[in-house]
Amino acid sequence: MAAVPADEPPPPRPAAHPPEPGSDSRAGRLSFCTKVCYGIGGVPNQLASSATAFYLQLFLLDVAQIPASQVSLVLFGGKVSGAAADPVAGFFINRSRRTGSGRLMPWVLGCTPFIALAYFFLWFLPPFTSLQGIWYMTFYYLFQALSTFFQVPYTALTMLLTPSPRERDSATAYRMTMEMAGTLMGAAVHGLIVSGAHARNRCEDAALLGPVATSPDATRLYSIAATVIAVTYPVCSGVLHLGVKEQPEPSAPASSQSQGFLAGLGLTVRHPPFRKLVISFLFISAAVQVEQSYLVLFCTHASRLHNHVQSLVLTILVSAILSTPLWEWFLQRFGKRMSAFGICVMVPFAILLAAVPTAPVAYVVSFVSGVSIAVSLLLPWSMLPDVVDDFQLQHQHGPGLETIFYSSYIFFTKLSSASALGISTLSLEFAGYEAGACKQAEQVVVTLKVLISAVPTCMILIGLCILLIGPAPKARHLPPSQDTSRRLSLRRRTSYSLA
């Protein structure tokens, strides 16, 4: 991300705080090595999230061969546990004491071995079959909750790297670059390793209808892929710990009054611009999640594109990453309302893929979908600062509401994604999806076509209508130091994820 220039060193920032070093102060400058080590710390979560977003549903249905109704519970419950963990993580981390390694670093290091184990066992095929659904529910719930407890202190660590806003922004840019690379690598590495597990030759000697026994090769390949990504947690956390030093926190002024989470949440959800933003992106983020999750299943069971799955997934991710700077420029040049129309670019192409599921069409659709996904991820983080500014100008409250706006938005969007995945996976059960079958019934094929075309199309159009109807909150002219501080604070707390 492009760094935001900090204010000039003189004069000092807010009057209530002691003067801080200017953005160009050598005392607050971070070395290149420190920034790289900080960025590496965020790679494992993106690797794991990308792999689970594209391949977990396929693994549960075709390798673990658990019923679609149980897969629905696994996906729904996991997303809910991740959403619920956000405020819980903030509550406990804010009340933890500083240790020799700092206040935030122990949380990152403490979560590392447990999240690595939870991720590995999420892809492990247990020796029993009767309780497999409970096995995967347990480890997916643990993985989602632990990844939140890992990510929250890691991203908050930005504030304790240096007092220089310019250097914090630079560190954030390194983090986002590494996270984007991790997102791409997660789908690529996992997909390349497990590609042999879904080869069509396993069905040559089997009946077309009915389940086929899971091959030992499939189990072994998924275990190898899980091990490769799980190992990155201790490795990258070790690099983070060795290369980054958490600075002591500045003491808060006695007059500062922070807003409790529940009280602040009540204030934010009653703010009309925030309600509009949240409701609109509940639909849009759920549409993106459904499109991502069912692309692999569609290519495997509803078309003859099973040999192109890995390439199509990489096309989406590369397109999203490369188009993000273009959308940033477009947003600055033409405004946010015009940029919002970029989300619906994927709509006609998704419908085309369902109607004409050929390889050339699939690659075009994947590229366009990546472009639309990029703007759907970028736009809410661009609009949230305007919503916060609008709220702060209408209300007089203490610090901390920026974080409540962010965390409540994340909570609601995770809840929306959980509901969309749970309900859509349940629809496969009603359509007669047979776990592990080489060929699915025609009703399942039709359902998969609807899930990658009509469902995301309707949700995107509903979300855009809610977003674009009525006046949008505009950026207000705040005092320079207050405006810069608030926007930098919000930017530091955001990151892109395709998962």
Side-chain angles (χ1 to χ4, degrees):
M1 306 294 297
V4 178
D7 297 335
E8 297 180 0
R13 295 175 54 176
H17 293 266
E20 294 182 346
S23 58
D24 295 324
S25 170
R26 292 185 179 276
R29 184 165 295 173
L30 297 175
S31 68
F32 171 77
C33 180
T34 297
K35 295 174 186 177
V36 170
C37 290
Y38 176 63
I40 289 174
V43 169
N45 251 3
Q46 298 305 315
L47 287 169
S49 297
S50 178
T52 54
F54 285 103
Y55 292 101
L56 180 61
Q57 193 175 39
L58 182 67
F59 168 78
L60 294 176
L61 289 170
D62 286 2
V63 179
Q65 297 187 7
I66 65 177
S69 58
Q70 293 184 28
V71 174
S72 173
L73 289 175
V74 171
L75 299 178
F76 174 79
K79 292 289 185 180
V80 169
S81 68
D86 273 305
V88 175
F91 178 85
F92 283 108
I93 292 171
N94 284 336
R95 283 158 178 76
S96 59
R97 295 183 178 181
R98 182 175 175 83
T99 67
S101 300
R103 187 170 66 88
L104 301 176
M105 189 70 76
W107 284 93
V108 176
L109 299 177
C111 287
T112 295
F114 299 104
I115 191 173
L117 288 174
Y119 182 82
F120 173 79
F121 285 115
L122 177 61
W123 302 93
F124 180 76
L125 208 62
F128 47 83
T129 57
S130 58
L131 299 176
Q132 276 189 340
I134 296 176
W135 172 280
Y136 292 112
M137 285 180 197
T138 301
F139 285 106
Y140 191 49
Y141 293 7
L142 283 173
F143 169 72
Q144 288 288 340
L146 288 169
S147 66
T148 298
F149 273 85
F150 180 96
Q151 191 71 14
V152 168
Y154 168 69
T155 52
L157 188 61
T158 314
M159 300 296 296
L160 302 181
L161 294 178
T162 171
S164 168
R166 183 188 296 274
E167 290 299 295
R168 290 171 182 167
D169 266 2
S170 178
T172 300
Y174 276 80
R175 172 173 68 84
M176 288 187 169
T177 301
M178 292 290 186
E179 286 181 344
M180 287 182 176
T183 299
L184 180 61
M185 290 167 55
V189 172
H190 185 96
L192 285 173
I193 294 175
V194 306
S195 58
H198 301 283
R200 281 293 179 178
N201 55 17
R202 73 187 180 99
C203 298
E204 289 178 356
D205 299 325
L208 290 178
L209 291 174
V212 176
T214 303
S215 69
D217 281 345
T219 304
R220 179 178 57 84
L221 290 174
Y222 271 97
S223 296
I224 292 172
T227 302
V228 169
I229 293 181
V231 166
T232 63
Y233 275 100
V235 171
C236 293
S237 296
V239 171
L240 176 70
H241 179 60
L242 294 174
V244 175
K245 179 175 176 57
E246 181 180 332
Q247 302 297 322
E249 299 176 74
S251 56
S255 60
S256 175
Q257 296 181 355
S258 61
Q259 193 78 31
F261 180 82
L262 293 179
L265 180 62
L267 290 171
T268 58
V269 297
R270 289 197 296 268
H271 189 54
F274 182 66
R275 284 205 306 267
K276 179 199 281 191
L277 181 68
V278 167
I279 294 173
S280 62
F281 278 96
L282 287 181
F283 287 97
I284 294 171
S285 61
V288 170
Q289 186 71 61
V290 169
E291 183 76 16
Q292 287 179 210
S293 298
Y294 287 96
L295 175 67
V296 175
L297 274 177
F298 172 81
C299 293
T300 304
H301 294 301
S303 65
R304 297 180 178 179
L305 298 171
H306 52 276
N307 292 328
H308 299 272
V309 168
Q310 176 67 15
S311 300
L312 293 174
V313 169
L314 292 179
T315 300
I316 292 175
L317 295 175
V318 170
S319 172
I321 292 171
L322 295 181
S323 61
T324 297
L326 175 64
W327 280 117
E328 288 182 335
W329 170 84
F330 189 93
L331 191 146
Q332 295 290 333
R333 179 68 177 82
F334 298 101
K336 295 160 190 174
R337 294 177 76 94
M338 285 293 295
S339 300
F341 287 102
I343 300 173
C344 64
V345 171
M346 66 184 286
V347 167
F349 290 92
I351 296 173
L352 178 64
L353 178 61
V356 188
T358 61
V361 171
Y363 281 101
V364 172
V365 171
S366 297
F367 178 82
V368 175
S369 296
V371 173
S372 292
I373 289 172
V375 68
S376 72
L377 296 174
L378 178 64
L379 193 59
W381 304 125
S382 173
M383 299 181 76
L384 264 175
D386 296 340
V387 172
V388 175
D389 289 344
D390 185 78
F391 178 88
Q392 294 284 19
L393 288 175
Q394 296 180 33
H395 304 82
Q396 296 296 324
H397 293 284
L401 283 178
E402 292 94 338
T403 304
I404 294 176
F405 272 101
Y406 162 75
S407 59
S408 57
Y409 172 79
I410 288 292
F411 174 81
F412 287 123
T413 51
K414 282 185 177 180
L415 209 57
S416 170
S417 297
S419 302
L421 281 180
I423 294 172
S424 58
T425 306
L426 205 57
S427 68
L428 289 179
E429 176 78 6
F430 295 144
Y433 187 95
E434 193 166 2
C438 286
K439 184 177 181 180
Q440 298 292 338
E442 185 62 28
Q443 296 93 320
V444 176
V445 174
V446 172
T447 301
L448 287 171
K449 289 183 178 182
V450 170
L451 287 173
I452 68 152
S453 58
V455 171
T457 294
C458 292
M459 287 194 289
I460 286 174
L461 294 179
I462 292 172
L464 285 177
C465 288
I466 296 172
L467 183 66
L468 298 176
I469 291 175
K474 297 180 179 179
R476 309 295 184 99
H477 295 288
L478 301 175
S481 62
Q482 188 179 5
D483 176 70
T484 303
S485 175
R486 184 171 300 149
R487 291 179 183 279
L488 291 179
S489 174
L490 203 60
R491 284 195 178 203
R492 291 183 202 107
R493 290 170 170 82
T494 64
S495 64
Y496 300 138
S497 177
L498 296 180

